[in-house]
Amino acid sequence: MDSMTVPAITAVNDFVVKFANVNGSGSASANEMFARAIVRMGVPVSPRNIFPSNIQGMPTWYEVRVSEKGWLGRRGGCDLMVALNAQTWDADVAEIEPGGYLFYDSTRPLKGKLREDINVIGVPLTAICTREFTDPNQRRLFKNIMYVGALAGLLDMEFEVVEGLIAQQYRGKTQLIDGNRAAARIGYDHTRTHFAGKIGLKIRRSDAVGDRIVIDGNAAAGLGAVYGGATVAAWYPITPSTSVVEAFTTYCRKYRTCPESGAARYAIVQAEDELASIGMVLGASWNGARAFTATSGPGISLMQEFLGLSYFAEVPSVIIDVQRGGPSTGMPTKTQQSDLLLCAYASHGDTRHVLLFPEDPHECFTMTAQAFDLAERLQTPVFLMTDLDIGMNERLSQPFAWDDARAYDRGKVLTAEDLDAGKSFGRYEDVDGDGIPWRTIPGTHPAKGAFFTRGTSRNAQARYSELGEDYVYNMERLRTKFETAKTLVPPPVAQPALQPTRLGVIHFGSTSPAMAEALDILAADGIYLDALRVRAFPFNAEVEAFVDAHDFVFVVEQNESGQLRTLLVNECEFDPKKLVKVLHYDGSPITARFIAGAISEAMNSPRLRPLIPTKG
Amino acid sequence: MTYIAKPRLGSEALPRNAAGFTRRDYEGRVSTLCAGCGHDSISAAIVQACYELDIEPHRVAKMSGIGCSSKTPDYFLGASHGFNSVHGRMPSVATGAALANRDLTYLGVSGDGDSASIGIGQFAHAMRRGVNLTYIVENNGVYGLTKGQFSATADKGSKSKKGVLNADSPIDLVALALQLGATYVARSFSGDKEQLVPLIKGALRHKGPAFIDVLSPCVTFNNHAGSTKSYDYVREHNEAVNRVEVVLQRHAIETSYAPGELRRVVQHDGSMLLLRKLGQDYDPTDRIGAMNHLHEHAALGEIVTGLLYVDEHADDLHKHLNTVEAPLNTLTDEALCPGNEVLQALNATLR
């Protein structure tokens, strides 16, 4: 260990480890194992992939935030850099916090002068692998598990936990288990021998994880679609949504294969493009199946015309939008919340759509399942607005649960018995006063209930009509239906400040963990904010009441233009001056440091300063 | 035009088919297309085909895109659900519908603009994917609703009503369907009901993608001298390869043809296609031969019609996906939702 100009960082269960790897080198599963080992020791972590749009050879990073307190947002900065990529070496070394640690493969000696304010830990990974293994593949791949072992030794972790994970990952493959365990052990013993007591970072067993699970949002959404009763999925591959349908496929094979015949109780079609994906969803939903697609911003752009048809023809559809950086062709592997306006008002004509904003994988599961109920109840498109940060990163989440007494809400569908019993049927008639008409499924009845589905240009009985009054009747009914939607979508979650305050903050989706931490930081500085996490559009009465109850409300978003704020101003007619933008949009997940900094700064403006209570 | 339904009075006296329906039960609303439009003849042929096949009208789903042709599903099978979707996208909507309920009969009606221009991608993929769908293109080479622009099936050198010569090469949807894997491919003419009705019947009983290109002259914008999609032109250049008769299992087979003139093709559902040869020797089960025949005659300026290709052993998308026999839209909550116990077991693997 080199001499230091600043004190070495010391921390227990509260630091950030960042891995700098080469894409395609097999490091991903080793890195995930490192994060999971910490979870197994009862310490919360939030890992994040920072990766290029590339298959092999480009730089990729994996950041693991360890937080006993359970902060799951990205912290920013790095206390221990595992620098294994020569391409990005300089930038990686520069990113280490003063007093932090650099871990590297010391097989080749370092060239040039390093920073003097960091601690250097060299382990000759390549040399050890060459010495210990003869197979060239093993020499290459075991390097990964070896650094996991080395880090475990360095951070004083329990080796048995790493062993257990290896056994689980390679279950049934004894040779792989033995090889990986041996490699991990060599790494572990090496750092225990050479660096014991020389590093200030430590993982100590805790019980802060509870019964939480680790899963990524896309897998959770795929599972939610299984539980929500989806039978038809049509999709087109696009980062970062691809793994939603991949997960749906895996879970369907497992849970939806007919035990008697081995046949599939689902149909998954990889379409030729997103236009076809959404077209298939509409065809299947029109025909009485629950259907969905998963895509990202560029896909939503292509689906616009069909989304309008879904809205006006009142055919249910569920669209999972895993948002990424805009514009349409940009930043496929970076996160943003920049599709709100695109989805809320998708298509030509006067359209408004239901959006759901999950905060984590748990809500990706529950809200995806709920989306099918809402889509059929409301006979309209429903968007699950998740993002890359939630979708493609493993996240500590509340365990899944399902109420077995719950029945799917299939909405207002007339059966053959209803029609035989003399129930009158006008496809677009508002018979119940909630704006939602009744529908029939094709093939239901030999003589009654058939209708011709069109976008508009029809009357309440679904007959062709170009009359202005028929059009207006329809639009007014759709407006009523949108009001009904407000009562059905998930309500916001309020987090009141510890002291009475005239300031509020609204946030949504993946901002949630960083927001919780930011509120904590701000409160420590004497800045108290009532927080409201919006979970759906249209905004229901509680959202309106929250804004009305505060003098100023910060709106924290991960996009450049303040899209949620635009929706709030547009739909609720709030005074725009009252809603203060806090915007983060560089493609990285928002941090508590950023939110707290931006809000603190805004508090210094003459407009807001009088609202801060003076201390003491 | 008026939009009122035709009076149903007097239908009691009409003959009924084996399913108990009269021909009127297969009709729809009064057409709003131009008088003499070829499309109305195709609608009439669909009515007759469904009547003769004893199909229950409500077990048919009518799918269309946008255009004159796509309006027609309102003018036949009034007791069936119909879906007038968006321009060029009928195939995807029909695919989704077919996935949801494999037990209905899907009839897609499209036009040359809808399928060969804006919708050629979806047309192509529905064919190659094996959707169990009867796909009829009412082909007039011209956009009617927007008043006479060429579509992508207009022949090179064909003259528009305004006197403009088409410089672009035409897309032959039949050739494409053959190449892309359609398992029942035919071409016909709206003015030849005797040829068209059996071809529609055979398609409706076919399992897999069945494509029929029907030349259907536009009397308003494309029926003049110099057009290659006019009634006169099509009649003069029509080269039929065969005549088809569809025989259901329960019907006796007529044997009025001389031996050797008839070829029998038994379809998946047991229905039999009797193909009477016309002139030259033509094998409708030879896909490559069909493609060659088509191109050779197209080079001579001839329009080849008839049942050009049929695969007796065709299967469909549901077979490829190995879906359960019960329509997916009939599966119960119990069959779909794995329940909480499974979920708790899954949670345990995620810690």
Side-chain angles (χ1 to χ4, degrees), chain B residues 86-241:
Chain B
V86 295
H87 201 14
R89 317 297 172 207
M90 176 276 283
S92 64
V93 180
T95 302
L99 290 173
N101 186 351
R102 62 190 301 169
D103 286 354
L104 297 187
T105 298
Y106 295 93
L107 174 58
V109 176
S110 179
D112 39 299
D114 200 51
S115 279
S117 297
I118 190 170
I120 192 157
Q122 296 217 340
F123 163 80
H125 289 278
M127 292 298 119
R128 61 175 275 272
R129 205 170 268 130
V131 182
N132 189 10
L133 166 73
T134 295
Y135 192 135
I136 296 176
V137 165
E138 306 186 344
N139 184 357
N140 57 18
V142 77
Y143 288 87
L145 286 173
T146 52
K147 308 210 184 304
Q149 301 81 9
F150 286 120
S151 84
T153 65
D155 288 307
K156 198 168 187 167
S158 182
K159 198 161 76 175
S160 80
K161 198 177 181 184
K162 287 180 181 167
V164 180
L165 289 180
N166 180 35
D168 299 342
S169 296
I171 288 172
D172 184 346
L173 291 171
V174 161
L176 273 181
L178 282 169
Q179 193 261 313
L180 291 166
T183 46
Y184 182 106
V185 181
R187 174 140 53 211
S188 188
F189 172 42
S190 64
D192 187 352
K193 203 169 181 177
E194 274 182 36
Q195 183 193 45
L196 179 57
V197 172
L199 286 175
I200 295 173
K201 286 165 71 177
L204 288 169
R205 296 301 294 254
H206 182 75
K207 186 176 186 179
F211 176 69
I212 311 177
D213 180 36
V214 187
L215 293 158
S216 175
C218 173
V219 289
T220 305
F221 293 110
N222 208 8
N223 198 31
H224 47 269
S227 159
T228 58
K229 298 276 193 289
S230 67
Y231 277 109
D232 288 346
Y233 188 92
V234 175
R235 281 204 185 97
E236 282 160 23
H237 296 81
N238 190 340
E239 283 297 319
V241 296

Side-chain angles (χ1 to χ4, degrees), chain A residues 320-344:
Chain A
I320 297 174
D321 178 9
V322 188
Q323 297 169 90
R324 66 187 213 186
S328 64
T329 52
M331 308 231 289
T333 63
K334 306 286 181 270
T335 194
Q336 264 182 11
Q337 299 175 317
S338 52
D339 294 345
L340 268 65
L341 293 174
L342 173 72
C343 293

Side-chain angles (χ1 to χ4, degrees), chain B residues 33-88:
Chain B
L33 301 174
C34 309
C37 178
H39 298 359
D40 284 333
S41 307
I42 301 169
S43 294
I46 291 168
V47 167
Q48 192 177 334
C50 291
Y51 171 75
E52 290 178 5
L53 285 177
D54 308 327
I55 289 175
E56 292 180 286
H58 75 292
R59 303 300 292 172
V60 180
K62 307 172 293 183
M63 321 301 290
S64 67
I66 294 292
C68 291
S69 55
S70 291
K71 292 172 83 165
T72 66
D74 207 14
Y75 315 142
F76 57 81
L77 296 177
S80 310
H81 275 71
F83 197 154
N84 196 176
S85 65
V86 295
H87 201 14

Side-chain angles (χ1 to χ4, degrees), chain A residues 40 211 214 227 255-256 264 266 272 276 280 283-284 287 306 400 402 404 408 440 443 445 451 453-454 463, chain B residues 29 58-59 74 81-82 84 89 96-97 106 122 129 322 324 329 333 336-337 339-340 342 344 347 350-351:
Chain A
R40 289 260 172 112
D211 66 348
V214 179
Y227 274 75
Y255 302 135
R256 286 275 196 79
Y266 57 91
E272 59 269 31
M280 290 177 200
N287 218 359
F306 260 128
F400 300 131
W402 189 262
D404 287 329
Y408 297 144
T440 55
H445 194 283
F451 67 97
T453 302
R454 294 183 179 87
R463 302 226 176 92
Chain B
R29 290 176 192 287
H58 75 292
R59 303 300 292 172
D74 207 14
H81 275 71
N84 196 176
R89 317 297 172 207
Y106 295 93
Q122 296 217 340
R129 205 170 268 130
N322 187 31
V324 287
N329 70 353
D333 289 21
L336 297 176
C337 186
N340 192 47
V342 164
Q344 295 316 310
N347 280 335
L350 299 171
R351 291 188 175 113

Side-chain angles (χ1 to χ4, degrees), chain A residues 58-71:
Chain A
M58 294 264 284
T60 176
W61 293 268
Y62 187 74
E63 199 177 85
V64 179
R65 180 179 187 185
V66 183
S67 171
E68 170 89 27
K69 278 187 168 175
W71 301 128

